[in-house]
Amino acid sequence: MRHGRVRFLAAALLALLFSLAACCNGGSVRAKGGAAPSPAASSAPSTVWRGAEFDETAAEYDHAVGADLSHLSEGYAAFRAENEKRLKVQIIHGEEKYNYDLPGDGTVTVCPLNMGDGDYTFRVMENIGGDRYAPIWKAERRVTLSNEFQPFLRPSVMVRYDADSDCVAEAAQLTGGRETDVEQVAAVYAYLVEEVEYDYEKAKSVQRGYLPDPDATLEEKKGICFDYAALAAAMLRSQGIPCKLITGYVEPDGVYHAWNEIYLKDRGWITAKIKAGGRDWKHVDITFASNGVPASKTDNEKLYTKRYTY
């Protein structure tokens, strides 16, 4: 029963994605060598692999904390620390502010510049007791991304993978031979529905500050919404498809949820959600927004507060 329902959902997803492509292409799915791309497609990224690294030669050090700000046009900043204190990286752009835990064991933390072009403030904060932090390093930079997709085509602290990750290999296998981004996205999401189960026990016990490990989710074949969204983002980004990881709190109960926004060349940004409720696969669904407007402007998104994009 479960697998039959899952296959039905996967088939429905494929049908919906192809209908989106058909609408955008005047009733037909464009193959390679077809008609000229739309304006949206002309600004879409290539499928060149995009990684993230910590450049030791470019890093600034203070208080045993290194900050590499040499990749700002590529959509990220990288940090590493060898410090016994509890540390956070804080990135500020206008009224928006993002905080990321910075481990003190030398692990590189890649922070996405997900707030677009403009003036950024970068801080490393040290815990001074309880939930209180004080800055120990600060820098200000003007950021001009080479294109809007850069932060959403690379690994980061929120979407962890590299060229050798199992999820990257799986994504390459799933998307291999599929010529359009619509087909590739459909293949990845059909796989998630078919293979990954919602982990109800984990949902009950997950701790504050939890970060997904896409390879672990792939291996265990189960996870919570955050795991689904991070795995989807890692798989799609690794194949050159821009994908945002979105988190928010659903009102009126304040339930935490995570989902994706994906860029399709002939459609723009669309929303992709994996929903699970109850204990039966009939409650598991994947929904692509059919109107193509930013998720923050759709009726469904009015239910979400404290929305964050990674």
Side-chain angles (χ1 to χ4, degrees):
M1 179 67 178
R2 168 191 151 188
H3 290 293
R5 179 62 180 174
V6 169
R7 292 190 184 98
F8 171 80
L9 289 170
L13 173 61
L14 283 165
L16 178 55
L17 283 170
F18 277 111
S19 71
L20 287 177
C23 289
C24 294
N25 294 322
S28 63
V29 178
R30 182 184 300 122
K32 290 182 179 178
S38 67
S42 67
S43 61
S46 69
T47 56
V48 175
W49 166 264
R50 291 173 173 83
E53 62 182 5
F54 183 92
D55 186 347
E56 191 72 47
T57 63
E60 304 175 23
Y61 276 89
D62 195 7
H63 290 77
V65 175
D68 173 14
L69 305 182
S70 65
H71 304 279
L72 302 185
S73 66
E74 299 168 53
Y76 71 94
F79 300 82
R80 65 183 300 272
E82 294 184 5
N83 191 314
E84 295 181 356
K85 298 284 188 177
R86 287 169 53 197
L87 303 172
K88 288 185 181 292
V89 174
Q90 185 177 80
I91 300 180
I92 304 171
H93 178 270
E95 298 297 318
E96 295 183 89
K97 182 186 301 182
Y98 283 76
N99 295 310
Y100 303 96
D101 288 334
L102 178 61
D105 61 1
T107 301
V108 173
T109 296
V110 174
C111 302
L113 304 183
N114 48 348
M115 296 173 278
D117 294 348
D119 295 321
Y120 278 71
T121 298
F122 302 90
R123 293 176 177 169
V124 175
M125 315 287 286
E126 182 181 275
N127 183 264
I128 57 174
D131 291 329
R132 295 178 298 133
Y133 285 79
I136 58 173
W137 178 87
K138 176 182 176 181
E140 296 179 350
R141 295 288 189 277
R142 178 76 176 179
V143 172
T144 302
L145 300 173
S146 61
N147 62 60
E148 68 172 288
F149 306 108
Q150 289 294 328
F152 312 113
L153 281 167
R154 300 179 185 277
S156 72
V157 63
M158 306 299 290
V159 183
R160 294 182 289 169
Y161 65 95
D162 58 35
D164 298 322
S165 294
D166 292 339
C167 63
V168 172
E170 186 68 42
Q173 182 174 346
L174 289 169
T175 59
R178 303 179 190 274
E179 295 192 2
T180 69
D181 54 0
V182 171
E183 293 176 294
Q184 293 166 354
V185 171
V188 168
Y189 271 84
Y191 175 86
L192 292 177
V193 170
E194 179 75 26
E195 299 294 335
V196 182
E197 298 184 9
Y198 191 83
D199 192 335
Y200 292 93
E201 294 305 314
K202 183 175 183 178
K204 294 177 183 177
S205 61
V206 66
Q207 300 295 308
R208 180 181 179 183
Y210 169 75
L211 293 177
D213 180 342
D215 270 2
T217 303
L218 186 70
E219 180 180 0
E220 296 167 7
K221 295 293 191 296
K222 61 182 180 180
I224 58 176
C225 58
F226 202 177
D227 297 314
Y228 277 94
L231 177 55
M235 295 176 82
L236 293 175
R237 290 182 186 186
S238 72
Q239 302 309 303
I241 298 174
C243 184
K244 299 176 182 179
L245 188 159
I246 315 290
T247 65
Y249 292 84
V250 186
E251 297 298 342
D253 299 323
V255 177
Y256 182 80
H257 191 48
W259 64 98
N260 299 112
E261 287 181 14
I262 301 167
Y263 186 88
L264 297 178
K265 293 177 182 177
D266 292 320
R267 190 67 179 179
W269 290 103
I270 65 171
T271 301
K273 295 181 182 179
I274 297 178
K275 298 180 179 178
R279 292 185 176 274
D280 194 290
W281 273 100
K282 69 182 181 181
H283 294 296
V284 178
D285 191 14
I286 292 179
T287 304
F288 277 76
S290 60
N291 55 12
V293 300
S296 60
K297 296 182 180 178
T298 65
D299 290 339
N300 289 340
E301 296 308 317
K302 293 177 182 177
L303 298 174
Y304 291 89
T305 60
K306 295 184 180 179
R307 173 190 160 108
Y308 300 97
T309 301
Y310 302 98

